[in-house]
Amino acid sequence: MEKLTYEKPYIKKLHAGVMNKFGTRTGIQPVKQIDGVSVKSLIENYGSPVFVLSEKKIRKNYRSAYRAFSTRYPKVQFAWSYKTNYLNAVCQIFHQEGSWAEVVSGFEYHKALRNGIPGNKIIFNGPGKSNDDLQAAIDNDSLIHIDHFEELNQLLVLSKKLATKPRVAIRVNMDTGVYPSWDRFGFNYENNEAWTAIEKTINSNKLQLVGLHCHIGTYMLSAGAYEIAANKLCDLAMRCKAQLHHKIEYIDMGGGFPSTNTLKGAYLPGSDTVPTVDDFAEVITSTILNFGFAQDDLPLLILESGRVLIDDAGYLLGTVVANKRLSNGKRATIVDFGVNILFTSFWYEHQISPAQDFNSHNENMIIYGPLCMNIDVIRESINLPLLDPGDQVVVHQVGAYNMTQWMQFITLRPAVVLIDKQQHTHVIRTGETLHYTEEPEIIPGHLKPDK
Ligand SMILES: Cc1ncc(COP(=O)(O)O)c(C=O)c1O
């Protein structure tokens, strides 16, 4: 039998209230492989830390979400939210599955074009489109979602001399019973700004109003909020038909369905509390179907889901650097990945699993990253077996928003590896190098180091 590592005994103050109603059991299991590829070999081949994505899981998530909507409603289209994860390999998986692209900046827009997406399958959201962005979207016949009156006026100027009308949608914000309401994007429903924008767009005769859009929030825990939102968009679409004799071709319900990650401070794990995609599909589709549209006028239903389609397909593998005792006796474990590459650790209590066998002694500990910054805390409190330097860990559900919001800060950003359905591994983004980070820098002559 392998000799166990000696752990120094210590005296620890007991803090009342650490147990929840299920006691202290953690049910931790070692996670030694991802899609049949061993964690050890992934770290050996691609370094530590390293992000790993499962192509199988991404496709499975997409197909089950698409099925949830398309079995309930005749016309459904998903558009991949680029900002959730715009690594090109990831976008291509969604595009191969049939997703359009949903982008929110000129940078993302051109990424989608370079990914081979035809302009008319790109939805352009966001409050900060430049004249050049709008011109490119007009030239490529993209779907421009108007956020504010400035943008509407900009579009009217750009379309003055055009023979064909650019295709646009009005982004609508509204009270959905979830507070604080997201009212900073688009035009408000309750104060009638949305209707004013619709009238102005149609009456301009310069733009073709094809859709109505909303994105009511993110990590939404209430399916009922989508029922309210769908009702309000349907109401606007019906009024367009009745009062302005104008047919709305699509209703875009945005994204916002939660992954099963656990929010910080939540009493129960996300897997026990979040509604399923089926729950959301049921309320959204039944609201539209029952609203009273004539069969020919049923709008296309667009969804821009991000996190729910990719979060659980992403893992971050890392290695324990050291352990220490804090002044209050709490165990602290330092790992080799920081909050700069795991942005979502500010919102989520990410599940962390040891990647090797462990003994039965668990302890409540704090997990720090390697940054020399006080904010670099991956988990403030987690029950884990005692980990030794060199032990490997797997952080779960990190596929959404980390590989776009990560920051090169103190350390370099690591490689991202995709495991395909045949269990082959592919580097889809190489780990950064010093050369890569210094490439855009210019040192003025008088500051150049002496040769
Ligand atoms: C307009 C729009 N659509 C879709 C999304 C995707 O949201 P989620 O990842 O919560 O599904 C976002 C994200 O903020 C967004 O702003």
Side-chain angles (χ1 to χ4, degrees):
M1 199 182 124
E2 203 187 325
K3 195 160 175 256
L4 296 177
T5 325
Y6 173 73
E7 271 289 328
K8 201 163 73 172
Y10 68 98
I11 296 172
K12 190 178 83 170
K13 190 163 140 194
L14 282 179
H15 298 276
V18 290
M19 287 192 222
N20 66 21
K21 68 179 176 182
F22 307 113
T24 52
R25 232 187 109 238
T26 57
I28 299 163
Q29 297 289 330
V31 172
K32 296 184 187 175
Q33 50 90 16
I34 296 164
D35 282 5
V37 183
S38 85
V39 169
K40 210 164 177 244
S41 71
L42 285 162
I43 288 183
E44 226 164 69
N45 293 330
Y46 304 108
S48 179
V50 59
F51 277 101
V52 175
L53 285 159
S54 158
E55 181 173 348
K56 188 164 113 190
K57 188 84 182 111
I58 297 175
R59 290 190 189 273
K60 189 163 172 254
N61 288 345
Y62 176 85
R63 287 176 195 183
S64 77
Y66 184 76
R67 194 179 321 112
F69 279 90
S70 61
T71 50
R72 293 175 164 94
Y73 193 79
K75 295 192 267 179
V76 175
Q77 179 62 51
F78 276 76
W80 174 238
S81 153
Y82 263 44
K83 70 156 105 59
T84 306
N85 189 321
Y86 45 56
L87 292 174
N88 289 336
V90 167
C91 297
Q92 294 297 359
I93 296 173
F94 284 104
H95 297 324
Q96 274 187 3
E97 290 290 332
S99 258
W100 294 356
E102 184 270 330
V103 303
V104 292
S105 68
F107 158 73
E108 288 189 2
Y109 183 78
H110 290 285
K111 226 173 187 311
L113 284 179
R114 282 163 67 126
N115 276 332
I117 299 303
N120 64 358
K121 294 184 175 168
I122 303 178
I123 292 172
F124 203 157
N125 277 312
K129 307 176 193 89
S130 67
N131 258 340
D132 285 349
D133 295 338
L134 291 172
Q135 191 60 55
I138 291 171
D139 295 344
N140 290 301
D141 191 27
S142 298
L143 297 159
I144 305 168
H145 287 193
I146 304 174
D147 187 83
H148 43 71
F149 283 114
E150 292 302 335
E151 188 180 335
L152 176 51
N153 292 336
Q154 249 171 305
L155 280 167
L156 291 176
V157 173
L158 291 172
S159 58
K160 223 174 210 158
K161 296 197 186 92
L162 294 179
T164 48
K165 299 180 190 175
R167 295 188 305 150
V168 302
I170 295 295
R171 177 160 181 175
V172 182
N173 68 64
M174 60 194 69
D175 181 350
T176 59
V178 174
Y179 307 107
S181 297
W182 277 31
D183 60 359
R184 57 171 282 189
F185 302 114
F187 301 88
N188 187 250
Y189 173 87
E190 283 79 21
N191 70 9
N192 224 32
E193 275 218 334
W195 183 248
T196 308
I198 288 170
E199 276 187 317
K200 192 168 172 189
T201 305
I202 294 174
N203 293 339
S204 74
N205 229 5
K206 286 282 159 213
L207 303 169
Q208 196 188 342
L209 182 69
V210 287
L212 296 173
H213 170 262
C214 67
H215 172 68
I216 59 175
T218 199
Y219 198 92
M220 298 295 286
L221 290 168
S222 155
Y226 284 86
E227 183 177 355
I228 296 173
N231 260 309
K232 290 182 176 174
L233 289 193
C234 288
D235 167 58
L236 291 173
M238 280 293 196
R239 279 159 66 192
C240 281
K241 180 83 177 173
Q243 296 175 31
L244 305 172
H245 313 292
H246 183 88
K247 180 179 157 182
I248 294 294
E249 289 171 22
Y250 69 84
I251 281 183
D252 181 341
M253 295 298 298
F257 307 153
S259 67
T260 52
N261 252 314
T262 303
L263 275 187
K264 279 200 165 178
Y267 182 58
L268 289 169
S271 51
D272 289 356
T273 51
V274 303
T276 63
V277 177
D278 276 286
D279 296 331
F280 291 109
E282 183 59 31
V283 293
I284 292 171
T285 57
S286 55
T287 304
I288 304 175
L289 286 170
N290 295 329
F291 204 84
F293 289 102
Q295 194 60 30
D296 288 350
D297 285 348
L298 261 189
L300 170 72
L301 170 58
I302 298 181
L303 298 140
E304 302 169 351
S305 287
R307 70 186 67 228
V308 76
L309 299 184
I310 197 166
D311 225 5
D312 64 357
Y315 305 82
L316 177 58
L317 317 186
T319 306
V320 173
V321 174
N323 290 302
K324 56 170 72 171
R325 287 272 160 219
L326 302 181
S327 58
N328 64 0
K330 189 164 177 143
R331 185 181 173 95
T333 292
I334 305 167
V335 292
D336 63 356
F337 50 87
V339 292
N340 61 318
I341 61 164
L342 195 64
F343 197 81
T344 53
S345 57
F346 290 119
W347 320 323
Y348 293 139
E349 289 184 344
H350 279 295
Q351 186 198 333
I352 301 177
S353 307
Q356 54 282 306
D357 290 321
F358 43 81
N359 68 26
S360 58
H361 186 58
N362 281 349
E363 196 179 323
N364 185 269
M365 62 186 77
I366 185 162
I367 307 283
Y368 289 130
L371 307 181
C372 193
M373 293 286 290
N374 210 29
I375 55 159
D376 194 21
V377 181
I378 303 292
R379 284 293 306 267
E380 268 153 36
S381 169
I382 182 171
N383 281 351
L384 277 179
L386 306 181
L387 298 163
D388 291 313
D391 279 354
Q392 295 167 346
V393 294
V394 177
V395 188
H396 299 263
Q397 303 217 67
V398 302
Y401 296 103
N402 284 306
M403 284 153 255
T404 46
Q405 295 194 73
W406 55 0
M407 217 189 328
Q408 191 277 304
F409 177 58
I410 299 181
T411 58
L412 298 168
R413 287 175 288 194
V416 183
V417 174
L418 180 78
I419 303 178
D420 71 18
K421 285 162 83 178
Q422 283 74 42
Q423 304 179 355
H424 297 139
T425 54
H426 308 264
V427 177
I428 59 169
R429 192 178 196 273
T430 54
E432 285 175 351
T433 58
L434 180 59
H435 173 73
Y436 168 87
T437 60
E438 287 187 341
E439 214 178 2
E441 289 192 40
I442 298 162
I443 305 181
H446 69 287
L447 297 177
K448 289 218 161 97
D450 296 333
K451 292 270 152 58

